[in-house]
Amino acid sequence: MNEERLSPAPGRDIAADFLKCVCCVCVIVIHTASLAITRLDIHSFDWYCALFWGSICRFAVPIFFMVTGALLFDPNKEMSIKKIYKSYFLRMLICLFFWSFMYKLYYYVAYVVLYGTYYSTWLSDSLRATFTWEHHFHLYYLQILL
């Protein structure tokens, strides 16, 4: 049998990739458990389970920040202020504005579908909110990185 070993792409940090994968799973657990904590009967077995799993996974967000910092400011990479602003800052800003607008669009479509009510200023209101930093709270990670 011809066995080929999978090797990472050159320049990839396997430990950082592994940590990011673990953190992604933990963030999903956090979101799932948070919803369960608010919907379950307090002091029930299920409530305690949701509380346990949500608590045990809270390390994920700070680890995301640390891994991002470690990868962004790798001492082996040449990093200048110009490169930070031209490459990283611009990409994160575009990503933040795009996802902020997508949240506004999603909520508008959901509002129309659920209530059947249209309002004519949704586009201008959404654009104003996007470009005046009135973003959905889930986008705080990108705001902090910027």
Side-chain angles (χ1 to χ4, degrees):
M1 249 174 86
N2 186 9
E3 290 186 29
E4 292 183 27
R5 295 188 67 183
L6 294 175
S7 61
R12 296 296 305 188
D13 187 344
I14 300 302
D17 288 342
F18 177 74
L19 273 174
K20 289 189 292 185
C21 289
V22 168
C23 289
C24 285
V25 171
C26 287
V27 167
I28 292 169
V29 171
I30 289 169
H31 284 92
T32 304
S34 296
L35 183 62
I37 289 170
T38 60
R39 303 264 171 101
L40 296 171
D41 293 330
I42 296 176
H43 302 297
S44 67
F45 177 76
D46 292 339
W47 185 80
Y48 279 117
C49 287
L51 193 63
F52 172 78
W53 288 109
S55 298
I56 208 166
C57 291
R58 291 289 167 178
F59 72 90
V61 175
I63 296 295
F64 261 124
F65 280 110
M66 286 187 261
V67 170
T68 300
L71 294 175
L72 185 62
F73 298 115
D74 183 6
N76 298 327
K77 289 184 349 187
E78 186 178 324
M79 187 67 63
S80 67
I81 298 295
K82 184 178 180 180
K83 183 175 181 179
I84 289 172
Y85 279 109
K86 269 183 98 172
S87 297
Y88 299 109
F89 186 83
L90 186 60
R91 275 191 266 163
M92 286 187 279
L93 188 65
I94 290 168
C95 186
L96 175 64
F97 286 157
F98 173 78
W99 285 110
S100 177
F101 186 74
M102 288 296 108
Y103 268 100
K104 300 291 183 188
L105 179 63
Y106 171 79
Y107 284 118
Y108 175 70
V109 169
Y111 186 80
V112 168
V113 168
L114 291 174
Y115 303 110
T117 306
Y118 299 91
Y119 63 98
S120 60
T121 61
W122 83 269
L123 182 59
S124 61
D125 291 347
S126 297
L127 289 172
R128 180 199 47 78
T130 298
F131 291 107
T132 58
W133 297 90
E134 297 173 31
H135 304 140
H136 191 273
F137 70 92
H138 266 112
L139 299 173
Y140 74 92
Y141 183 77
L142 290 172
Q143 291 174 340
I144 290 171
L145 287 178
L146 287 172

